[in-house]
Amino acid sequence: MNIATKVAPAAGGDDDGPLYEARRKIYPIAVQGTFRRIKWTLLVITLGIYYLLPFLRWDRGPNAPSQAVLVDLANGRFYFFFIEIWPQEIYYLTGLLILAALTLFLMNAVAGRLWCGYLCPQTVWTDLYQAIERMVEGDPRERREKLKHASKAQRAFEAIAKHTLWLMIAWWTGGAWVLYFADAPTLAMDLLKGTAPPVAYLWIGILTFTTYVLAGHMREQVCTYMCPWPRIQAALTDEYAYNVTYRYDRGEPRGSFKKSEALKLKGLPAGDCVDCRQCVAVCPTGVDIRLGSQLACVQCGLCIDACDNVMNKVGRPTGLIAYDTEMNVERRVKGLPPVHRFVRARTVLYVALIVIVGGVMLGTLATRGSEGVAVIHDRNPLFVQLSDGSIRNAYTVRIVNKQTIPRRFAIAVEGVPEARVEVAGAVGTVEDGRPVVEVGPDQTYELRLLVSTHARLPANASLPVTFRITDVAGGETSAAPDHFKGP
């Protein structure tokens, strides 16, 4: 845990000092206010979704799992309420990742590191762990008093209780994760009985360890040193993006309340900042926002709540620390009005891309069929000339049935004159001159198809053909192109 910030050499070229600063343990105090309430609300919502969603049921009919959100690795399916994604539709995952990236860019363009301050899993779980720490051991002030007066037995009991609760949350975090990959109630009972698959216990152990270490011990170091987003975010922001900002045009020159009031009585300049350092005391990364924008600042807004509380107590206007831009602070120093520009080229571009990508995904989801066909031509030989003079090509055909009921499909080949179509191995039946095969519910069926013709073909023929399957009962169709080869 000795990750630390690099320190500049001392003045005068003295290089004998330490190259890296030792880690400062940060124990932020509790604060009440608007942004703290927002963070609590989002914490309850996000953790509630994560922990409880696997138990939500969704009726998909017979022969289908009833879990609303399920990653069925054994059968190669992803279920999300009424949506079912097959392995060949992995492009939907690509689209979701693109949408997530564009949404992150838009959030950054509007108000900086909103993701980091309110929705990032590291922030959410660290908030939860710190709340438990304060509940068991008290606020940092109380902990300092206990170091002086409390018995060793009391401190040991509280430490054991805290780490036990941390480990329980970490264990359930790992347990909730594996529940997304199997029927949640069944797997939960198997986990309690000790009869679950070993891989489930392995992943629970891995996620228990990572959650306990990252949220309980590393905390702000993950945001400051491990996460790449602060570095990327700095390259994507501009002067119009809102960030948690100390309005030094109001706050400086800072000083204690009594000192600043005395200066005002004398007609001398005095800022609203009373130098109470409450903004530093509540910061989860130990940042002093009065020093300007910093890499470690996650833009959580808790310093705004702390400062507003102090301003209310001393009878001064709130908003000394607020979501603002450095450009507007400089403009107020010069006596110019602030500029607010939410709608600009950057934000319009991100919104347009989100709408386009989301629209394409919704369109393909709404129009995709519940059946599919894929065709592979035999490579060796490309064709066979039979004893009766006809030319035959062989294909491997895979038919997909995405419905939860068995279906019968008729197979036709278009583009080959006088074509005769047969299914190798006498599979299925023949109806109206077309072979018909049955495909089970939510399954794929692979067969070998033989296509032959007596028609005279041009030399080195390579005719474009279309393989079409038709649901005998419902009439839905799907097609796939290929070629028919000749001598």
Side-chain angles (χ1 to χ4, degrees):
M1 302 290 181
N2 287 326
I3 305 172
T5 54
K6 196 169 182 178
V7 179
D14 183 6
D15 295 332
D16 295 334
L19 183 62
Y20 291 91
E21 179 187 7
R23 181 192 178 189
R24 295 181 297 109
K25 290 188 177 182
I26 298 170
Y27 299 101
I29 64 174
V31 65
Q32 302 298 324
T34 300
F35 292 98
R36 178 66 270 178
R37 287 191 293 273
I38 292 173
K39 285 173 67 67
W40 282 134
T41 302
L42 291 175
L43 183 147
V44 171
I45 292 173
T46 53
L47 291 184
I49 291 173
Y50 175 75
Y51 289 124
L52 301 178
L53 189 58
F55 296 97
L56 186 63
R57 302 291 94 184
W58 187 269
D59 184 12
R60 297 185 178 88
N63 307 308
S66 60
Q67 187 162 311
V69 180
L70 175 65
V71 182
D72 188 356
L73 295 178
N75 298 305
R77 305 286 188 275
F78 171 61
Y79 299 95
F80 186 80
F81 294 92
F82 62 91
I83 299 173
E84 178 182 351
I85 303 298
W86 284 53
Q88 59 267 36
E89 296 173 323
I90 193 66
Y91 49 83
Y92 286 113
L93 176 60
T94 304
L96 286 175
L97 292 175
I98 293 173
L99 283 177
L102 291 173
T103 303
L104 194 60
F105 297 163
L106 177 61
M107 293 168 67
N108 176 68
V110 173
R113 294 172 66 179
L114 282 177
W115 166 261
C116 299
Y118 301 94
L119 295 171
C120 174
Q122 175 66 20
T123 298
V124 172
W125 264 278
T126 298
D127 263 357
L128 179 60
Y129 271 47
Q130 288 177 341
I132 291 172
E133 186 174 56
R134 284 192 286 265
M135 179 184 70
V136 175
E137 297 181 337
D139 221 29
R141 301 183 186 94
E142 298 176 49
R143 293 202 290 272
R144 284 192 290 269
E145 288 298 317
K146 288 178 181 178
L147 287 175
K148 299 177 183 177
H149 306 295
S151 65
K152 291 183 179 181
Q154 179 185 351
R155 296 202 303 269
F157 173 79
E158 291 179 349
I160 292 172
K162 177 183 74 174
H163 288 282
T164 300
L165 291 173
W166 280 2
L167 285 168
M168 289 175 62
I169 291 173
W171 182 87
W172 186 239
T173 300
W177 175 258
V178 301
L179 295 181
Y180 285 94
F181 295 85
D183 183 67
T186 304
L187 181 56
M189 290 302 299
D190 290 344
L191 289 170
L192 293 175
K193 294 176 182 177
T195 58
V199 68
Y201 293 105
L202 173 64
W203 278 106
I204 290 175
I206 291 172
L207 290 171
T208 298
F209 173 77
T210 54
T211 304
Y212 175 74
V213 171
L214 296 181
H217 296 278
M218 296 191 69
R219 296 185 178 180
E220 78 286 346
Q221 291 189 303
V222 176
C223 305
T224 306
Y225 303 106
M226 295 176 62
C227 180
W229 178 238
R231 285 85 179 165
I232 300 172
Q233 178 265 345
L236 293 173
T237 191
D238 61 17
E239 66 272 23
Y240 297 105
Y242 284 80
N243 291 285
V244 175
T245 304
Y246 169 63
R247 291 169 167 168
Y248 55 82
D249 58 304
R250 256 191 61 190
E252 300 298 326
R254 74 185 72 157
S256 67
F257 178 73
K258 291 182 178 179
K259 180 180 177 181
S260 60
E261 289 298 308
L263 289 173
K264 288 179 181 179
L265 290 175
K266 296 177 180 179
L268 298 175
D272 283 345
C273 177
V274 296
D275 205 16
C276 62
R277 293 185 61 82
Q278 287 298 295
C279 55
V280 182
V282 302
C283 180
T285 59
V287 165
D288 187 344
I289 194 63
R290 298 173 299 176
L291 301 179
S293 180
Q294 297 161 66
L295 183 70
C297 177
V298 297
Q299 305 284 318
C300 63
L302 296 183
C303 55
I304 299 177
D305 286 338
C307 186
D308 285 352
N309 292 341
V310 173
M311 291 296 104
N312 285 328
K313 289 178 180 178
V314 299
R316 294 179 181 175
T318 59
L320 178 59
I321 300 175
Y323 274 96
D324 203 348
T325 67
E326 184 70 21
M327 177 182 65
N328 281 339
V329 176
E330 294 176 356
R331 288 178 64 86
R332 283 192 292 268
V333 169
K334 297 175 183 177
L336 301 174
V339 175
H340 305 284
R341 191 172 296 175
F342 292 102
V343 180
R344 54 192 191 276
R346 185 186 298 260
T347 55
V348 170
L349 174 63
Y350 292 149
V351 170
L353 290 174
I354 290 172
V355 170
I356 292 171
V357 175
V360 169
M361 290 181 63
L362 288 175
T364 55
L365 274 172
T367 57
R368 68 174 183 166
S370 59
E371 63 286 318
V373 60
V375 179
I376 300 176
H377 195 293
D378 276 9
R379 293 180 178 273
N380 189 21
L382 291 175
F383 65 90
V384 174
Q385 188 162 12
L386 303 179
S387 59
D388 61 359
S390 61
I391 305 299
R392 186 176 74 189
N393 284 204
Y395 304 85
T396 299
V397 178
R398 178 171 292 178
I399 300 175
V400 179
N401 175 19
K402 298 180 182 178
Q403 293 188 12
T404 57
I405 57 173
R407 301 165 73 187
R408 298 171 68 243
F409 292 98
I411 306 172
V413 178
E414 304 167 357
V416 179
E418 303 176 24
R420 185 173 72 254
V421 183
E422 306 172 70
V423 177
V427 176
T429 61
V430 177
E431 301 178 11
D432 298 329
R434 300 180 301 176
V436 176
V437 295
E438 182 173 307
V439 183
D442 201 39
Q443 292 180 14
T444 61
Y445 185 82
E446 188 174 287
L447 55 92
R448 186 171 170 78
L449 200 66
L450 306 177
V451 181
S452 57
T453 181
H454 284 90
R456 186 178 182 85
L457 302 177
N460 298 319
S462 180
L463 303 179
V465 296
T466 301
F467 291 79
R468 188 176 302 278
I469 61 169
T470 304
D471 185 347
V472 175
E476 296 90 348
T477 66
S478 183
D482 210 293
H483 289 82
F484 186 88
K485 303 291 185 178

